[in-house]
Amino acid sequence: MNTDKYLIERINNECKGMKENINIMEVCGTHTDSIYKNGIKELINSKINLISGPGCPTCVTDNSYIENAKYLLENNVNIISFGDISRVTSNGESILNYKNKKGKVYIVYNPYDSIKIVQNNPNKAFVFLAIGFETTAPIIAYIIKETYERNIKNLYFLCSIKLMPPIISYILNSSNNIHGIICPGNVSVITGYNYFNFIYDKYKTPAVVSGFKSKEILLGIYYLVKVIRNDSSYKFINLYDYVKKCGNLKCITIIKEVFEKGKGNWRGIGQIEKSALNINKKYCELDACKHFNLNYEYLEEKNHCLCNSIILGKALPYECKLFKSICNLNNPLGPCMVSNEGLCRIFCKYERG
Amino acid sequence: MKDFVESFVNMKGDSTLREDYINIVHGDGGKYTNNLIKEVFYKSYKNETLIQGEDAALINIENNKILNFTTDGFIIKPIFFKGGDIGKLSICGTINDLVVSGSIPKYISASFIIEEGFEIKSLIKIANSMKEVCDESNVQIVTGDTKVVEKGKIDGVFITTSGIGINYNFKEKRVIDKDAILIINTIGEHGTTVALDRFNIINEGNIKSDCASLTSLIPIIKKYKDNIKIMKDPTRGGVGQTLNEISNKHNIGMHLFEKYIPIKKWVLSINEMLGFDPLYLANEGNMIIICESSIAKHLRNDIKNQCGFNYCSIVGYATNKEKFVFIENDFGGKRILSELEEHLIPRIC
């Protein structure tokens, strides 16, 4: 019998006679996408609620970041960006389609391409929009370090690299309704799996670190259901083969060399202390915020966009008035519709809705 | 008949043009392209033949002789890609439209718009590619045109080809419950090859477009023409979009099975990295055939054995149980394949 089918059977057996709901949150957009793409929800016991958390870096970026990028464009600075963030709208306009821009927007897939771009245009100023979670941090750190060491004078970085533990803590502090958490395996590859054991140690919530294939997610769900049903003593377990306890030392070293923990702006929440990686003193001349004197105050979203609640697992896309009407795959307003890992976009792609 | 034509062009699509200007998404071959065609072009030159909206127009000459007539514009970037170039693509594209509409391709016209400064060496290469495909497919380029525009006004070279084929009395028939859906070749290769080049991703190995003429299938199609309901070449928008168009037209759902979709490992892994769904990537040497379930296996075997399409596969069947297109994985999980609505972008994390 195939592994996925077997795991589904085991999960459903474990849930026989279950009267209460089990709420499991996964905090990585890639997990969200895999769950919906594989139609997992419909196959497991309906009392298991799979809730999507804030694991999409585009989705958790607040409006101040977008406004800062637009301000730079207005002042003849060029922007280099990943595709997603350039399409998120703030005050009705995205970076890509900003009407008052004097600078150009360059979309890259590989962030290292920024170095090539700035070298081809030595008389122009560029800012790279460095957004991501722990998985993106090492490569951004590497590029910042290289920019510094090669004395490249026209490339700066607007960093919004977020950390998972603070946002998970925020959610667990504000809700006692999450019974288990699925943590992203790719983050643990960088940080080591102990990065997430605070979820049980501090909050007494069981957690698993899992990969992204359907059978890996199902294995994670199975373990959580067992623990929650008091049928297992594993409160925290790593199920992802590629994770070493110590993580990836090279990555950890370079992150520590370039960044320091600082305030982070989270969409729908505000500022959370020590929740983001900011460029440290040694490399601060490359920090776009400092160089261009940007305001980093949190900016609230003013329209009816429900992304704020959706990313915290408090609402579903259907509940948003703008969903699939004004805000759709081709005219996305909120980040959850722009990003490949945003729940609204995932719903549009895979659900009948 | 005139009333039908009027009512058709007056039907509003569910994504009416919200802006006054063409958006890049209007060229993606999906929902927005279709609505643009309805709202601008059909409204202007409405006639019964045009609004059939087929890959080729069927023109009644006389005494029940029918010619198939088609046209296509080619603006691909990059102009030269692994597995072909804009010239090869322009001929294969038009030939394949004639093949899927049930005719034997015969004559092609080729119209070139060339940017000032374009290398003649490259133009010769393109012309030779076109000749090579024509020779293989027993087709002739019999007329053409050449225009040059100033540097910077277009991107290298654009080609428009039109083609005529002799119809052998194939008729598109209503798709009904349990009709089999076949895909003759592995999917997503052309789209993936172009994406890799567009994003400047260096790759090694056997990665190339599937761009090819499908004339070798004609004898088999003729053999089964009374049992074949519909044929389509899944170009822009890929298999996903093409099946949606058929589903909408015939008002029938489709149930596909992931394990039967023919796809190469490199396409799967590259797209996992890029964040695209291969079911929506362009194919330029592939065909979807929907046929009566009774002959599906015979058709598949003949295509495999006699035409050399070793990956030809029955991927699913039409169904009355749902009205949409959906795909089931190997443990029973299902997801909907909706119409292509957007410009595909890569993921960041």
Side-chain angles (χ1 to χ4, degrees):
Chain A
M1 185 194 267
N2 94 24
T3 315
D4 297 273
K5 272 202 179 121
Y6 174 71
L7 286 167
I8 291 167
E9 209 178 85
R10 293 292 294 257
I11 291 170
N12 292 337
N13 271 341
E14 195 66 39
C15 293
K16 272 198 180 124
M18 189 164 80
K19 299 213 170 72
E20 340 67 43
N21 284 340
I22 288 181
N23 298 329
I24 293 176
M25 178 179 265
E26 32 83 5
V27 292
C28 172
T30 309
H31 276 144
T32 314
D33 189 73
S34 193
I35 287 168
Y36 283 91
K37 186 173 179 177
N38 285 294
I40 286 176
K41 279 190 159 189
E42 288 76 34
L43 296 173
I44 56 178
N45 188 302
S46 57
K47 287 200 177 308
I48 303 175
N49 287 327
L50 295 177
I51 302 172
S52 290
C56 152
T58 307
C59 303
V60 300
T61 300
D62 81 311
N63 281 357
S64 71
Y65 191 86
I66 315 283
E67 291 301 317
N68 277 333
K70 281 149 85 177
Y71 170 81
L72 290 167
L73 281 171
E74 247 178 72
N75 288 283
N76 214 5
V77 177
N78 299 301
I79 295 287
I80 305 175
S81 169
F82 297 124
D84 282 1
I85 193 69
S86 71
R87 294 176 72 211
V88 177
T89 60
S90 162
N91 293 332
E93 268 187 299
S94 69
I95 293 164
L96 198 60
N97 295 324
Y98 188 44
K99 292 198 177 71
N100 294 339
K101 66 173 182 259
K102 298 202 176 68
K104 266 180 84 172
V105 179
Y106 293 76
I107 305 292
V108 295
Y109 178 75
N110 177 356
Y112 196 76
D113 287 345
S114 344
I115 297 204
K116 281 188 223 148
I117 294 173
V118 309
Q119 288 182 319
N120 289 338
N121 298 279
N123 298 323
K124 299 190 178 159
F126 289 85
V127 170
F128 178 74
L129 302 187
I131 82 162
F133 275 103
E134 289 92 336
T135 34
T136 321
I139 176 122
I140 304 290
Y142 179 82
I143 295 169
I144 290 175
K145 185 172 177 188
E146 181 140 334
T147 305
Y148 180 85
E149 284 172 356
R150 286 165 71 169
N151 215 17
I152 294 172
K153 289 297 181 195
N154 58 337
L155 177 59
Y156 303 89
F157 298 82
L158 188 63
C159 288
S160 180
I161 299 173
K162 305 279 199 313
L163 300 171
M164 288 249 152
I167 191 65
I168 294 174
S169 296
Y170 176 89
I171 288 173
L172 292 173
N173 277 329
S174 49
S175 159
N176 52 7
N177 221 15
I178 309 279
H179 306 122
I181 296 205
I182 301 177
C183 304
N186 55 358
V187 170
S188 296
V189 167
I190 310 268
T191 61
Y193 57 75
N194 282 332
Y195 196 58
F196 290 110
N197 59 11
F198 75 93
I199 297 174
Y200 189 73
D201 288 349
K202 186 171 177 198
Y203 295 97
K204 303 300 174 219
T205 301
V208 299
V209 174
S210 115
F212 305 97
K213 297 199 175 95
S214 55
K215 43 179 150 286
E216 291 172 308
I217 297 173
L218 287 167
L219 187 62
I221 295 173
Y222 175 61
Y223 266 96
L224 285 174
V225 169
K226 270 180 89 80
V227 169
I228 294 164
R229 299 274 283 156
N230 283 321
D231 199 14
S232 164
S233 54
Y234 285 107
K235 306 298 188 191
F236 174 78
I237 188 167
N238 171 47
L239 296 169
Y240 195 41
D241 282 340
Y242 303 105
V243 178
K244 288 193 218 158
K245 192 168 183 185
C246 59
N248 183 311
L249 289 172
K250 263 192 179 162
C251 289
I252 293 175
T253 306
I254 198 163
I255 290 174
K256 285 195 169 135
E257 187 183 335
V258 174
F259 294 121
E260 63 191 14
K261 285 190 195 173
K263 285 187 208 165
N265 287 345
W266 293 77
R267 188 179 198 91
I269 299 171
Q271 274 191 355
I272 300 181
E273 291 290 334
K274 294 216 174 128
S275 67
L277 291 174
N278 299 325
I279 299 179
N280 64 22
K281 228 176 172 175
K282 179 175 179 191
Y283 297 92
C284 69
E285 68 194 55
L286 295 174
D287 186 344
C289 251
K290 294 204 161 68
H291 184 86
F292 296 100
N293 214 11
L294 300 174
N295 179 347
Y296 205 51
E297 284 307 305
Y298 171 76
L299 259 184
E300 189 72 60
E301 177 56 59
K302 288 199 185 109
N303 69 24
H304 294 289
C305 171
L306 263 192
C307 282
N308 295 355
S309 305
I310 291 169
I311 53 172
L312 294 173
K314 293 186 176 154
L316 288 175
Y318 311 125
E319 298 170 47
C320 176
K321 289 198 176 96
L322 312 178
F323 180 65
K324 275 194 164 181
S325 56
I326 307 174
C327 181
N328 53 56
L329 282 179
N330 207 58
N331 185 43
L333 292 184
C336 299
M337 185 63 83
V338 168
S339 174
N340 256 331
E341 296 174 352
L343 195 61
C344 298
R345 175 181 251 250
I346 287 170
F347 268 47
C348 277
K349 276 202 295 187
Y350 302 133
E351 296 258 304
R352 212 180 322 170
Chain B
M1 190 47 90
K2 187 175 179 230
D3 286 340
F4 168 74
V5 169
E6 294 286 349
S7 64
F8 181 88
V9 298
N10 286 329
M11 234 161 47
K12 283 232 179 267
D14 58 350
S15 317
T16 43
L17 294 177
R18 285 201 175 80
E19 293 159 12
D20 297 324
Y21 302 98
I22 292 289
N23 190 297
I24 199 73
V25 74
H26 284 122
D28 275 358
K31 209 157 149 173
Y32 291 92
T33 307
N34 289 336
N35 283 315
L36 177 72
I37 294 171
K38 268 195 206 131
E39 303 225 356
V40 174
F41 302 112
Y42 284 3
K43 276 205 166 119
S44 293
Y45 2 104
K46 46 196 173 193
N47 62 65
E48 291 154 33
T49 309
L50 181 64
I51 63 162
Q52 296 306 318
E54 303 306 337
D55 291 310
L58 274 54
I59 317 277
N60 223 309
I61 306 293
E62 58 176 21
N63 298 334
N64 285 326
K65 278 211 175 67
I66 299 178
L67 282 185
N68 288 23
F69 180 35
T70 188
T71 190
D72 231 323
F74 296 87
I75 55 166
I76 186 172
K77 178 181 176 162
I79 289 172
F80 293 95
F81 48 87
K82 284 202 179 143
D85 57 45
I86 191 173
K88 180 180 180 187
L89 188 63
S90 70
I91 300 297
C92 291
T94 289
I95 284 178
N96 294 344
D97 276 345
L98 291 170
V99 170
V100 299
S101 54
S103 70
I104 301 168
K106 279 289 183 203
Y107 306 109
I108 295 199
S109 72
S111 171
F112 292 79
I113 303 180
I114 314 168
E115 186 189 11
E116 183 187 8
F118 191 73
E119 271 194 331
I120 294 192
K121 212 169 50 174
S122 298
L123 206 55
I124 293 175
K125 219 171 152 191
I126 290 170
N128 286 338
S129 296
M130 294 165 83
K131 169 100 171 62
E132 210 177 302
V133 184
C134 286
D135 287 347
E136 277 164 18
S137 314
N138 206 17
V139 158
Q140 286 181 291
I141 300 175
V142 294
T143 184
D145 186 49
T146 312
K147 296 277 189 299
V148 175
V149 293
E150 305 93 319
K151 192 160 182 59
K153 296 306 181 188
I154 62 157
D155 199 0
V157 60
F158 295 158
I159 305 178
T160 299
T161 48
S162 301
I164 291 179
I166 314 261
N167 192 300
Y168 48 79
N169 234 345
F170 167 77
K171 286 203 166 42
E172 190 177 298
K173 306 163 199 62
R174 179 140 216 90
V175 176
I176 59 171
D177 192 49
K178 297 199 180 46
D179 276 345
I181 303 170
L182 276 76
I183 296 181
I184 67 159
N185 204 359
T186 44
I187 67 165
E189 289 164 26
H190 182 81
T192 306
T193 304
V194 172
L196 281 174
D197 191 293
R198 186 72 53 74
F199 296 122
N200 261 325
I201 294 171
I202 301 165
N203 59 86
E204 283 147 16
N206 225 2
I207 293 173
K208 62 183 174 85
S209 165
D210 62 336
C211 181
S213 154
L214 297 172
T215 47
S216 61
L217 287 163
I218 294 176
I220 305 294
I221 297 170
K222 279 170 107 172
K223 178 178 173 189
Y224 292 94
K225 73 179 169 74
D226 294 331
N227 314 95
I228 291 176
K229 306 294 189 87
I230 187 167
M231 298 178 284
K232 286 275 176 211
D233 58 338
T235 53
R236 266 183 317 178
V239 166
Q241 175 62 21
T242 307
L243 287 177
N244 266 282
E245 285 171 5
I246 300 173
S247 163
N248 289 338
K249 185 173 180 191
H250 293 251
N251 198 29
I252 194 152
M254 293 184 190
H255 186 163
L256 307 181
F257 296 88
E258 212 165 78
K259 64 183 170 193
Y260 298 131
I261 303 277
I263 183 166
K264 296 220 172 97
K265 266 198 170 145
W266 63 263
V267 173
L268 272 171
S269 42
I270 288 172
N271 285 296
E272 225 177 88
M273 185 180 77
L274 291 177
F276 296 139
D277 186 344
L279 284 167
Y280 290 94
L281 291 178
N283 307 276
E284 295 293 340
N286 208 338
M287 195 191 287
I288 293 174
I289 303 179
I290 302 187
C291 66
E292 286 166 16
S293 49
S294 54
I295 53 107
K297 285 198 175 132
H298 303 292
L299 175 59
R300 179 202 59 198
N301 294 340
D302 279 359
I303 290 175
K304 278 174 107 152
N305 300 331
Q306 295 179 38
C307 307
F309 286 101
N310 298 321
Y311 296 98
C312 183
S313 169
I314 301 171
V315 301
Y317 52 88
T319 174
N320 269 334
K321 293 204 187 108
E322 309 286 359
K323 288 294 182 209
F324 44 80
V325 180
F326 65 101
I327 188 164
E328 183 175 339
N329 61 24
D330 65 354
F331 55 93
K334 299 181 179 123
R335 75 177 200 272
I336 292 178
L337 292 178
S338 45
E339 262 200 87
L340 187 64
E341 269 192 41
E342 44 144 4
H343 208 47
L344 300 171
I345 51 169
R347 64 180 180 188
I348 56 166
C349 155

